[in-house]
Amino acid sequence: MISLDKHPSGRHFLQIPGPSPVPDRILRAISLPTIDHRGPEFGALGRQVIAGMQRVFRTRHPVVIYPSSGTGAWEAALVNTMSPGDALLMVETGHFATLWQKMATKLGLEPEFLALPGTDAATGLPNAWRHGVDAGLIEQRLARDAQHRIQAVCVVHNETSTGVTSDVAAVRRAIDAAHHPALLMVDTISGLASADYRHDEWGVDVSVSGSQKGLMLPPGIAFNALSPKALARTKTAKLPRAYWGWDEIVEMNAGGYWPYTPNTNLLYGLSEALDMLFGQGLDAVFARHRRWSAGVRAAVAAWGLPTQCADAALHSPVLTGVITPPGVDADALRKLIHERFDLSLGTGLGKVKGRMFRIGHLGDSNELTLLGTLAGVEMGLTLAGVPIAGSGVQAAMAFFAEAPDLA
Amino acid sequence: MISLDKHPSGRHFLQIPGPSPVPDRILRAISLPTIDHRGPEFGALGRQVIAGMQRVFRTRHPVVIYPSSGTGAWEAALVNTMSPGDALLMVETGHFATLWQKMATKLGLEPEFLALPGTDAATGLPNAWRHGVDAGLIEQRLARDAQHRIQAVCVVHNETSTGVTSDVAAVRRAIDAAHHPALLMVDTISGLASADYRHDEWGVDVSVSGSQKGLMLPPGIAFNALSPKALARTKTAKLPRAYWGWDEIVEMNAGGYWPYTPNTNLLYGLSEALDMLFGQGLDAVFARHRRWSAGVRAAVAAWGLPTQCADAALHSPVLTGVITPPGVDADALRKLIHERFDLSLGTGLGKVKGRMFRIGHLGDSNELTLLGTLAGVEMGLTLAGVPIAGSGVQAAMAFFAEAPDLA
Amino acid sequence: MISLDKHPSGRHFLQIPGPSPVPDRILRAISLPTIDHRGPEFGALGRQVIAGMQRVFRTRHPVVIYPSSGTGAWEAALVNTMSPGDALLMVETGHFATLWQKMATKLGLEPEFLALPGTDAATGLPNAWRHGVDAGLIEQRLARDAQHRIQAVCVVHNETSTGVTSDVAAVRRAIDAAHHPALLMVDTISGLASADYRHDEWGVDVSVSGSQKGLMLPPGIAFNALSPKALARTKTAKLPRAYWGWDEIVEMNAGGYWPYTPNTNLLYGLSEALDMLFGQGLDAVFARHRRWSAGVRAAVAAWGLPTQCADAALHSPVLTGVITPPGVDADALRKLIHERFDLSLGTGLGKVKGRMFRIGHLGDSNELTLLGTLAGVEMGLTLAGVPIAGSGVQAAMAFFAEAPDLA
Amino acid sequence: MISLDKHPSGRHFLQIPGPSPVPDRILRAISLPTIDHRGPEFGALGRQVIAGMQRVFRTRHPVVIYPSSGTGAWEAALVNTMSPGDALLMVETGHFATLWQKMATKLGLEPEFLALPGTDAATGLPNAWRHGVDAGLIEQRLARDAQHRIQAVCVVHNETSTGVTSDVAAVRRAIDAAHHPALLMVDTISGLASADYRHDEWGVDVSVSGSQKGLMLPPGIAFNALSPKALARTKTAKLPRAYWGWDEIVEMNAGGYWPYTPNTNLLYGLSEALDMLFGQGLDAVFARHRRWSAGVRAAVAAWGLPTQCADAALHSPVLTGVITPPGVDADALRKLIHERFDLSLGTGLGKVKGRMFRIGHLGDSNELTLLGTLAGVEMGLTLAGVPIAGSGVQAAMAFFAEAPDLA
């Protein structure tokens, strides 16, 4: 039988920003026997998880669940609402924003890729990858689009590649201030269920998410939360679509069913995850992630290393990007840490490859696990000969000992 | 915690033609902790399951694994090879062939839907839904396509809605006899790993399959097996695609990785399933399904009910469609059996709705489980007042007792 | 990893009278991470399962849970209440009564072994092994014990080796009618939670049970339910004891703890089992077992084979002993059935070895599973050349179809 | 379903010296369906785990496996070899040695309890609880026993209550030097499979162990390893016994079976544990525990707190006892740490109650988990106002970073 026995002893420290560590309860739930996806027991399950996801997205409108990765849910957002050649306004905040933009191009759309200009003097990294979405730039750009060619504004809520969480409500205000009819589409794949998110209140038309981050499931299911305006677009949107088509799914979801075979066992896990999240309360879950994030940043500051996120108000509760000193290959450091301490960290992606690593602090975790993680990083820095200003572990211990309830 | 406790006692009898009963070993495997999909342990797993799936498809060419349902793999086959408006020759063999044809239309293709004409006198059902693919008709149609407008011939190997297994090699011979360059695309979602299947030897260009049938996994991953000719088509095929794009996946698969987050935990299950299948030998697995099918047919014959499959050479090893007498609502019968005996049977789909039910005999099963199933059906027939000619259970017992090794 | 892969395909039919098939929910529960057996979480679990077991035994008095097999709980009953050389009145009802009697001898006690005399003319088997406890014989024997040398009457409630369920209340009435102070000790290892059992109402002093039968757990924990009179005996009982000592356990159980390390993970399973049993209602559970038993007996009668239990009022709801015709080696038959159909049946034990086999119908089961089981037995009888009068499967189907609610 | 959800988030840190953290593979293994304990599949499993346990104990002689806690295996060692009133020489090394001595008294034996005299000046604790077994004292005592009244010398290998690992080979040399025929009985409940242990080479007659320590299983099975001399004693030993009787078990073990129902599912786990231990190599497992122990001691030294073990050569690889400063209630500290950081530490038992706590470093663990643990303790010390000399976490990081392979 599969043993996954490459770990010398004990639990692997999975500290990447997703897939996140999956709680034991959820792992047991997904191992229950598969049932008939057309039977009454499944229908009840289907209705329950859809209602639960509406609560997580804070929406009264339909949520569509796909058997796919989060990337599939990006595609679904576009093909249900767009026609070939449609213009989009997308915002470069990092690697995942870039991938979504490339996808739009592949699908025959015309995305304009808005970015903060310039390079950060201190680190040499692009400014766009250290800051959040600039709503002012969006407003200016939309104001210039007098013919309303731009069909949608697409932003990433929590940039998994950088650790910056953008202000989505501000983007909605910018669109409204420009009196522009563009849809607002938001990727909250790594934000949902770890960071506060309000689909309806923030006026989002399509929210995109996935299972393997704040929902603490293995990868394999993904989500679109819709607005009535987005749903209405399916009538005119001309991109070909079948698998991703909302209409048929939403119609069958009324009974708790899907047009094709849904991912039964991961939906067991989703049911379990929703029980856990609502049992604890989403606000408590968000506060927990904020506290973890602040503790990890205390460590990074003590080491004397810059965080990728350059804006104090936008630090992600989900992950922290750490920039390595010039000349230090962040991936070599990660490899050393993985081999010596069985600790997985996130790599630098795209334009920051080799210049940073990412510490995930999400999912089924706690303060001691994070302190073990920080100890692994600190030992790795030492072994790699990277000079550090002080002990990050000490700083994080001081933080966690004093501030258990960072609301 | 989720309890799935609607079953009064004991194991639910999941006798639909997929999702199939999942072996206990596989359920445990998918519950192992999620790992980093970019780490070395995952890479080894990825390479292992891809190589294993090549062995199952009997191909030396790439096999692409998607986080999706089988429906997604249909779409992948089309969007990677076709351009808007391309003509397809599809063959009506039942509900799933019809769904694939509708999908092609939705995607902007022009499928011609070839079907055996007429209605069966005895049952009143369409002939096309009781017989396999007629290779002769295909050859005739292709021969008339002098300009080679038809880009692909699409057939279903094992029609899950009828219980007819078509002769795929004959379709390849028909295409070749017509000297036609069309691709051959085959849906073997419910055939693979239960029935003999030979991607390379039969000259298939794209094979489509899914996890929740002969592979004995929960739903959630799906497959495309490719030919070099199919792969070459991606250079000219103009349907928009991103998530389904073969090129990037095949390139990253060399290392055992995927461009987006793969379904880690179901891939653990796939690894386990492959160990089980190869440990027993695929030929033994096929023989087992043939034996089960013959035993179930012995029961249906004893009841005096017709099977949906009207061609003795094409009975599916995976499922048996049973036609109910005129006036008997097959779905009311299924409901009675479900409520009284906790036994799920497959419904009649599309043109045969209410006229038949399907008994699945695939996946993690055995002779006694099938006899329990047949007993449930027989008691249900009695309780519903359906006259039967004799005891199907007796006939199946006689068969299984005498013929353990139907090679 | 351990694969337990000797089963060719599908679920093994575990139709022995214990260990019984364990529900999937319970198997998942016992796989949750082990916790500190001295921590507050465990204390809550401990109190919960003890209270639940009091409800199952129908007692207001202490229930002691041991990490041991049921055999250990036999020993515990004796060493906590007896002194070396004490006389016991035990009743021969089959193999397990005999084992308990042998144990008493090993422990230095002096058991008198009361048995129905003679041999059954039809089968040649001892009468004692085909009937229940004769309360009249007990009353007569106690009446002759004017000095009250007999310290306890020990009987087996549900004889797992024969399929006879004795009338425990009648034994209490017999003791009282003889105005005898002997304790009443009852082995209900295979009766509890499948058959009605009332520790307090029936005046039992020590009830002995185990986990792997009606409680549907794996083996590994066992039980003593006590009366105040039994508990008081520990002050004078002189058999050496430590591990089995009630006093210390009962004292620590008040907080939900044990003097030594309890079997944490099986106690998770016990918690889950209690949730299932109380969720369904014990009366419904008992009715289910009675119905199963009647269905199986219908089959045995149709085959024309005698049941081991010769008293129509005492048929066990848990198992049915089936006597094979003279000259038929029941163990050879069992072996054939195991090899051909992956079905485990219980062997004939002790004085009935080779003359009978046992069909378990307990735990996580249902009607179709039992019909599959009966089909396996019927095919085995045919293959072994054992003449049968008719189809047992047909008879059982007729029974189950007509009589779903045998209250 | 049982949820064990008292943990706010993430994995509980189970850092008591047993039950130890159970590997995920083992938890899955014990959740596989229960099988017939009399069938051929079980027989193969039984033979495999017995052979494996012989390898772990390093013995060619029988190993007996009980469904019981380790306490039961203490009792088994005594009742199989002793007669009422027999004299034993037991050695006080801590709480568990004391419990075994009390058990011997309860069973009617006459243990003499040898102890290092006096109290440690620095800590006020009994010397006997800070040092290992003094073989010299044993030799002197046996030399005085000219009539060989002493039937056995009983020592604890790894005292779980103190963190001292005694030299068992030295005890054997002492017995031999005194030319005394007493049996040597050794409790290695918490030593086996974490520390080097050699039943045959060290001349041990009965070794006692349990599942929930180095074997990394949940509690519920326990072991006796025997010598031929010990086995021969069953012929003359007169303590009553049945459940614990070696003879019948050893006889049935030849086929892989037991006289009563064995703990099937924990034996699955044992099979898996043995695969893991032998796969890594026992020497590597021992070295790992030594390294962990040294790292934890580096932390304790940096805090400026004494370890319970006062002899540098005898520090346990399994746990470290930490003495709190006068006036600091160690249990209040443990409670604070448990509530704030979800970390379980071992309590001070018996004579050291309130004066010390124990850090377990055994089972499925690794360096980062231990650093998280030490961070929890260090934060707890700070929050409790306990003055510490320096950062134990820093010291342990320095140790682990520099010394990965402490052979």
Side-chain angles (χ1 to χ4, degrees):
Chain A
M1 190 167 159
I2 186 173
S3 59
L4 298 176
D5 55 4
K6 303 212 171 171
H7 309 287
S9 173
R11 279 234 140 182
H12 177 67
F13 275 64
L14 182 68
Q15 300 298 147
I16 58 174
S20 59
V22 180
D24 291 305
R25 280 174 60 180
I26 291 180
L27 290 170
R28 270 50 169 197
I30 67 170
S31 80
L32 284 164
T34 303
I35 57 173
D36 180 3
H37 63 297
R38 302 281 181 224
E41 185 167 31
F42 184 85
L45 173 69
R47 293 189 301 271
Q48 180 217 327
V49 295
I50 292 167
M53 287 308 300
Q54 288 177 305
R55 195 169 154 195
V56 171
F57 276 111
R58 299 207 177 176
T59 183
R60 291 166 302 119
H61 303 300
V63 172
V64 174
I65 306 178
Y66 293 106
S68 81
S69 76
T71 298
W74 276 348
E75 181 159 322
L78 298 176
V79 299
N80 275 287
T81 56
M82 297 292 136
S83 298
D86 274 355
L88 301 174
L89 183 61
M90 304 183 96
V91 182
E92 181 178 353
T93 48
H95 185 66
F96 290 96
T98 305
L99 288 179
W100 199 9
Q101 180 262 349
K102 285 184 180 169
M103 170 185 272
T105 305
K106 283 185 184 179
L107 292 174
L109 302 173
E110 296 186 3
E112 178 177 337
F113 208 30
L114 200 62
L116 276 186
T119 298
D120 178 74
T123 63
L125 301 182
N127 282 323
W129 289 53
R130 299 195 67 200
H131 294 271
V133 173
D134 187 324
L137 289 181
I138 291 175
E139 186 178 342
Q140 292 165 26
R141 179 62 189 87
L142 292 179
R144 292 202 315 270
D145 181 33
Q147 287 115 352
H148 293 171
R149 281 197 61 247
I150 293 169
Q151 298 298 317
V153 175
C154 301
V155 297
V156 173
H157 174 223
N158 185 72
E159 239 306 344
T160 318
S161 65
T162 67
V164 181
T165 307
S166 289
D167 182 347
V168 172
V171 177
R172 165 48 65 199
R173 287 193 300 269
I175 298 171
D176 290 348
H179 301 290
H180 197 286
L183 297 175
L184 172 56
M185 299 200 193
V186 179
D187 162 353
T188 184
I189 290 176
S190 62
L192 194 77
S194 301
D196 191 19
Y197 191 81
R198 302 166 186 233
H199 180 83
D200 286 3
E201 184 182 328
W202 294 349
V204 183
D205 292 298
V206 188
S207 294
V208 170
S209 197
S211 57
Q212 76 274 24
K213 312 279 185 173
L215 292 170
M216 308 183 294
L217 298 174
I221 52 179
F223 310 91
N224 275 181
L226 313 181
S227 74
K229 186 174 167 187
L231 206 40
R233 284 290 182 100
T234 61
K235 300 207 178 65
T236 53
K238 295 204 159 40
L239 272 180
R241 63 183 166 274
Y243 187 76
W244 309 113
W246 291 335
D247 294 359
E248 201 180 357
I249 298 173
V250 169
E251 185 187 331
M252 288 201 66
N253 275 183
Y257 301 101
W258 270 260
Y260 39 74
T261 317
N263 199 324
T264 45
N265 290 52
L266 284 185
L267 294 177
Y268 300 164
L270 180 56
S271 168
E272 191 71 16
L274 293 168
D275 280 356
M276 293 178 76
L277 291 170
F278 298 147
Q280 299 167 354
L282 285 174
D283 288 340
V285 171
F286 301 153
R288 185 165 77 209
H289 286 81
R290 281 197 301 272
R291 189 166 62 245
W292 293 343
S293 180
V296 169
R297 285 201 306 280
V300 177
W303 291 327
L305 299 176
T307 57
Q308 173 87 355
C309 176
D311 183 337
L314 301 184
H315 282 299
S316 168
V318 171
L319 76 144
T320 298
V322 182
I323 299 178
T324 47
V328 173
D329 178 351
D331 285 331
L333 175 68
R334 286 176 53 248
K335 187 163 185 286
L336 181 158
I337 290 171
H338 184 266
E339 289 175 357
R340 274 295 302 276
F341 302 111
D342 203 23
L343 163 60
S344 288
L345 298 166
T347 188
L349 293 162
K351 294 182 179 177
V352 295
K353 180 148 189 61
R355 290 301 320 281
M356 60 87 76
F357 61 89
R358 293 170 296 147
I359 302 174
H361 30 80
L362 76 162
D364 192 52
S365 191
N366 57 31
E367 295 173 2
L368 297 194
T369 298
L370 292 178
L371 287 166
T373 301
L374 294 171
V377 175
E378 188 164 316
M379 290 188 291
L381 290 165
T382 302
L383 287 167
V386 179
I388 57 175
S391 170
V393 174
Q394 289 298 112
M397 282 199 288
F399 175 82
F400 285 132
E402 285 182 24
D405 283 314
L406 187 75
Chain B
M1 190 167 161
I2 187 172
S3 57
L4 298 174
D5 56 3
K6 302 212 171 171
H7 308 287
S9 174
R11 279 235 141 180
H12 178 68
F13 276 64
L14 182 69
Q15 301 296 147
I16 57 174
S20 60
V22 180
D24 291 305
R25 279 174 61 180
I26 291 180
L27 290 170
R28 268 49 167 201
I30 66 170
S31 81
L32 284 164
T34 303
I35 56 173
D36 180 3
H37 63 298
R38 300 285 180 222
E41 185 167 29
F42 184 84
L45 173 70
R47 293 189 301 271
Q48 180 216 327
V49 295
I50 292 167
M53 287 308 301
Q54 288 176 307
R55 194 167 156 196
V56 171
F57 275 111
R58 299 206 178 178
T59 183
R60 291 167 300 119
H61 304 300
V63 172
V64 174
I65 307 177
Y66 293 106
S68 81
S69 77
T71 298
W74 276 348
E75 182 160 322
L78 298 176
V79 297
N80 275 287
T81 56
M82 297 292 138
S83 299
D86 273 356
L88 302 174
L89 183 61
M90 304 183 95
V91 182
E92 181 178 353
T93 48
H95 186 65
F96 290 97
T98 305
L99 287 179
W100 198 10
Q101 179 262 348
K102 286 183 180 170
M103 171 185 271
T105 305
K106 283 185 186 178
L107 293 173
L109 302 172
E110 296 186 5
E112 178 177 337
F113 209 29
L114 201 64
L116 276 185
T119 298
D120 179 74
T123 63
L125 301 182
N127 282 324
W129 289 53
R130 299 195 67 199
H131 294 271
V133 174
D134 187 324
L137 289 182
I138 290 174
E139 184 178 343
Q140 292 164 27
R141 180 61 190 87
L142 292 179
R144 292 202 314 272
D145 181 35
Q147 289 117 350
H148 294 171
R149 278 199 62 246
I150 293 169
Q151 298 299 318
V153 175
C154 301
V155 298
V156 173
H157 174 223
N158 184 72
E159 240 306 343
T160 320
S161 65
T162 66
V164 181
T165 306
S166 288
D167 182 348
V168 173
V171 178
R172 164 49 64 197
R173 288 193 299 270
I175 298 171
D176 291 349
H179 303 290
H180 198 286
L183 296 175
L184 172 56
M185 299 201 195
V186 179
D187 163 354
T188 184
I189 289 176
S190 62
L192 194 77
S194 301
D196 191 17
Y197 191 80
R198 304 167 185 232
H199 179 82
D200 285 2
E201 183 181 328
W202 294 348
V204 183
D205 291 297
V206 188
S207 294
V208 170
S209 196
S211 57
Q212 76 274 22
K213 310 282 185 175
L215 291 171
M216 307 183 294
L217 298 175
I221 51 178
F223 308 92
N224 274 180
L226 312 181
S227 73
K229 184 174 169 187
L231 206 41
R233 283 291 181 102
T234 61
K235 298 205 179 69
T236 52
K238 295 203 161 39
L239 271 180
R241 63 185 167 272
Y243 187 77
W244 308 113
W246 291 335
D247 294 359
E248 200 181 358
I249 298 173
V250 169
E251 186 188 330
M252 287 201 66
N253 274 182
Y257 300 100
W258 270 260
Y260 37 75
T261 316
N263 200 325
T264 45
N265 290 53
L266 284 185
L267 294 178
Y268 300 164
L270 180 56
S271 167
E272 191 71 16
L274 293 168
D275 280 356
M276 294 178 75
L277 291 169
F278 298 146
Q280 299 166 355
L282 285 174
D283 287 341
V285 172
F286 301 153
R288 184 166 77 208
H289 286 81
R290 283 196 300 273
R291 188 165 64 244
W292 292 343
S293 180
V296 169
R297 285 200 308 280
V300 177
W303 291 327
L305 299 176
T307 58
Q308 174 86 357
C309 177
D311 183 338
L314 301 184
H315 282 298
S316 169
V318 171
L319 77 143
T320 299
V322 182
I323 299 178
T324 47
V328 173
D329 177 351
D331 285 331
L333 175 68
R334 285 175 55 247
K335 185 162 186 289
L336 181 158
I337 291 171
H338 184 266
E339 288 175 356
R340 273 297 302 278
F341 303 111
D342 203 25
L343 163 61
S344 288
L345 299 166
T347 188
L349 292 162
K351 293 182 178 175
V352 295
K353 179 149 191 61
R355 292 300 319 281
M356 60 87 76
F357 62 89
R358 294 170 296 148
I359 302 173
H361 30 79
L362 76 162
D364 192 52
S365 192
N366 56 32
E367 295 175 0
L368 297 195
T369 296
L370 292 178
L371 287 166
T373 300
L374 294 170
V377 175
E378 187 162 318
M379 290 188 291
L381 290 165
T382 303
L383 288 167
V386 179
I388 57 176
S391 171
V393 175
Q394 289 298 112
M397 282 198 288
F399 175 83
F400 286 131
E402 286 184 23
D405 283 312
L406 186 74
Chain C
M1 190 167 160
I2 187 173
S3 59
L4 298 175
D5 55 5
K6 303 214 171 170
H7 309 286
S9 174
R11 280 233 139 183
H12 178 67
F13 275 64
L14 181 68
Q15 300 297 146
I16 58 175
S20 58
V22 180
D24 291 305
R25 280 174 60 180
I26 291 180
L27 291 170
R28 268 52 169 196
I30 67 170
S31 79
L32 284 165
T34 303
I35 57 172
D36 180 2
H37 61 298
R38 302 282 181 223
E41 186 167 31
F42 184 85
L45 173 69
R47 292 190 301 272
Q48 180 217 326
V49 295
I50 292 167
M53 286 309 300
Q54 289 177 306
R55 193 169 156 195
V56 171
F57 276 111
R58 298 208 177 175
T59 182
R60 291 166 301 119
H61 304 299
V63 172
V64 174
I65 307 178
Y66 293 106
S68 81
S69 76
T71 298
W74 276 349
E75 182 160 322
L78 298 176
V79 298
N80 275 288
T81 57
M82 297 291 138
S83 300
D86 274 355
L88 301 173
L89 183 61
M90 303 184 97
V91 182
E92 181 178 353
T93 47
H95 185 66
F96 290 96
T98 305
L99 287 180
W100 198 10
Q101 180 261 348
K102 286 184 180 168
M103 170 185 273
T105 304
K106 283 186 185 179
L107 293 174
L109 302 172
E110 297 186 2
E112 178 176 337
F113 209 29
L114 201 63
L116 276 186
T119 298
D120 179 74
T123 63
L125 300 182
N127 282 323
W129 289 54
R130 299 195 66 201
H131 294 271
V133 174
D134 186 324
L137 288 182
I138 290 175
E139 185 178 343
Q140 292 166 26
R141 179 60 190 89
L142 292 179
R144 292 202 315 270
D145 181 35
Q147 288 115 351
H148 294 171
R149 279 198 63 245
I150 293 169
Q151 297 299 317
V153 175
C154 301
V155 299
V156 173
H157 174 223
N158 185 72
E159 241 304 346
T160 319
S161 65
T162 67
V164 181
T165 306
S166 288
D167 182 346
V168 172
V171 177
R172 165 49 64 197
R173 288 193 300 270
I175 298 172
D176 290 349
H179 302 290
H180 198 286
L183 296 175
L184 173 57
M185 299 201 195
V186 179
D187 163 353
T188 185
I189 289 175
S190 63
L192 194 77
S194 301
D196 191 17
Y197 191 81
R198 303 168 185 229
H199 179 84
D200 286 2
E201 184 182 328
W202 293 348
V204 183
D205 291 297
V206 188
S207 293
V208 171
S209 197
S211 57
Q212 76 274 23
K213 311 280 183 172
L215 292 171
M216 307 184 294
L217 298 175
I221 51 179
F223 309 92
N224 275 181
L226 313 180
S227 73
K229 187 175 168 186
L231 205 41
R233 283 291 182 101
T234 61
K235 299 207 180 67
T236 53
K238 295 204 159 39
L239 271 179
R241 62 183 168 274
Y243 187 77
W244 308 113
W246 291 336
D247 294 0
E248 200 180 357
I249 298 173
V250 169
E251 186 187 329
M252 288 201 65
N253 276 180
Y257 300 101
W258 270 259
Y260 40 72
T261 316
N263 199 325
T264 44
N265 290 52
L266 284 185
L267 294 178
Y268 300 164
L270 180 56
S271 167
E272 191 72 15
L274 292 168
D275 280 357
M276 293 178 75
L277 291 169
F278 298 146
Q280 299 166 354
L282 285 173
D283 287 342
V285 172
F286 302 152
R288 184 166 77 208
H289 286 81
R290 282 196 301 273
R291 188 166 63 243
W292 292 343
S293 179
V296 169
R297 285 200 306 281
V300 178
W303 291 328
L305 298 176
T307 58
Q308 172 86 356
C309 177
D311 184 338
L314 302 184
H315 282 298
S316 169
V318 171
L319 76 144
T320 299
V322 182
I323 299 177
T324 48
V328 173
D329 178 351
D331 285 331
L333 175 67
R334 285 176 53 248
K335 186 163 185 286
L336 180 157
I337 290 171
H338 184 266
E339 288 174 357
R340 274 295 304 275
F341 301 113
D342 203 24
L343 163 60
S344 287
L345 299 166
T347 188
L349 291 162
K351 295 182 178 175
V352 295
K353 179 146 190 63
R355 291 301 319 282
M356 59 88 76
F357 62 89
R358 293 170 296 148
I359 302 173
H361 31 78
L362 76 163
D364 193 53
S365 191
N366 57 31
E367 296 174 359
L368 297 196
T369 296
L370 291 178
L371 287 165
T373 300
L374 294 171
V377 175
E378 188 163 317
M379 290 188 291
L381 290 165
T382 303
L383 288 167
V386 179
I388 57 175
S391 170
V393 175
Q394 289 299 111
M397 282 199 289
F399 175 82
F400 286 132
E402 285 183 23
D405 285 312
L406 187 74
Chain D
M1 191 168 161
I2 187 172
S3 58
L4 298 175
D5 55 4
K6 301 211 172 172
H7 309 287
S9 173
R11 278 235 141 180
H12 177 67
F13 275 65
L14 182 68
Q15 300 298 146
I16 57 174
S20 59
V22 180
D24 291 305
R25 279 174 61 180
I26 292 180
L27 290 170
R28 269 43 168 207
I30 67 170
S31 80
L32 285 164
T34 302
I35 56 173
D36 180 2
H37 62 298
R38 302 281 180 224
E41 185 168 30
F42 184 85
L45 173 69
R47 292 190 302 271
Q48 179 217 326
V49 295
I50 291 167
M53 286 310 299
Q54 289 176 304
R55 193 168 157 196
V56 171
F57 276 110
R58 299 206 177 177
T59 184
R60 291 166 301 120
H61 304 299
V63 172
V64 174
I65 306 179
Y66 293 106
S68 81
S69 77
T71 298
W74 276 348
E75 182 160 323
L78 298 176
V79 299
N80 276 288
T81 56
M82 297 293 136
S83 299
D86 273 355
L88 301 174
L89 183 61
M90 304 183 95
V91 183
E92 181 178 352
T93 47
H95 186 66
F96 290 97
T98 306
L99 288 179
W100 199 10
Q101 180 261 348
K102 286 184 180 169
M103 170 185 270
T105 304
K106 281 186 186 177
L107 293 173
L109 302 173
E110 296 186 4
E112 180 177 336
F113 208 29
L114 201 64
L116 275 185
T119 298
D120 179 72
T123 64
L125 301 182
N127 281 324
W129 289 53
R130 299 195 66 200
H131 294 271
V133 174
D134 186 324
L137 289 182
I138 291 175
E139 184 178 343
Q140 293 165 26
R141 180 62 190 87
L142 292 179
R144 292 201 315 270
D145 181 34
Q147 289 116 351
H148 293 170
R149 279 198 63 245
I150 293 169
Q151 298 299 317
V153 175
C154 300
V155 298
V156 173
H157 174 223
N158 185 71
E159 238 307 342
T160 320
S161 65
T162 67
V164 181
T165 307
S166 289
D167 182 347
V168 172
V171 177
R172 164 48 65 197
R173 287 193 300 269
I175 298 171
D176 290 350
H179 302 290
H180 198 287
L183 296 175
L184 172 56
M185 299 202 194
V186 179
D187 162 353
T188 184
I189 290 176
S190 62
L192 194 77
S194 301
D196 190 18
Y197 191 81
R198 302 166 186 232
H199 180 83
D200 286 2
E201 183 181 328
W202 294 348
V204 183
D205 291 297
V206 187
S207 294
V208 170
S209 197
S211 57
Q212 75 274 22
K213 311 280 185 174
L215 291 170
M216 308 182 295
L217 298 174
I221 51 179
F223 308 92
N224 275 181
L226 313 180
S227 73
K229 185 175 167 186
L231 207 39
R233 283 290 181 102
T234 61
K235 299 205 179 68
T236 53
K238 295 202 160 41
L239 272 180
R241 63 184 168 272
Y243 187 76
W244 308 114
W246 290 337
D247 294 359
E248 200 180 357
I249 298 173
V250 169
E251 186 187 330
M252 288 200 66
N253 275 182
Y257 301 101
W258 270 259
Y260 38 74
T261 317
N263 199 326
T264 45
N265 290 53
L266 284 186
L267 294 177
Y268 301 164
L270 180 56
S271 167
E272 190 71 15
L274 293 168
D275 281 356
M276 293 178 75
L277 291 169
F278 298 146
Q280 299 166 355
L282 284 174
D283 287 340
V285 171
F286 301 152
R288 184 165 78 208
H289 285 81
R290 281 196 302 272
R291 189 165 63 243
W292 292 344
S293 180
V296 169
R297 284 200 308 280
V300 177
W303 290 327
L305 299 176
T307 58
Q308 173 86 358
C309 177
D311 184 339
L314 301 183
H315 282 298
S316 168
V318 171
L319 76 144
T320 298
V322 182
I323 300 179
T324 48
V328 173
D329 178 352
D331 285 331
L333 175 67
R334 286 175 53 248
K335 186 163 185 287
L336 181 158
I337 290 170
H338 184 266
E339 288 175 357
R340 274 295 303 278
F341 302 112
D342 204 24
L343 162 61
S344 287
L345 298 166
T347 188
L349 291 163
K351 294 181 179 175
V352 295
K353 181 148 187 63
R355 291 301 318 282
M356 61 86 76
F357 62 89
R358 294 170 295 148
I359 303 174
H361 30 79
L362 76 163
D364 193 52
S365 192
N366 57 30
E367 296 174 359
L368 296 194
T369 296
L370 291 179
L371 287 166
T373 300
L374 294 171
V377 175
E378 187 162 317
M379 291 188 291
L381 290 166
T382 303
L383 288 167
V386 180
I388 56 174
S391 171
V393 175
Q394 288 299 112
M397 283 199 288
F399 175 82
F400 286 131
E402 285 182 24
D405 283 312
L406 187 75

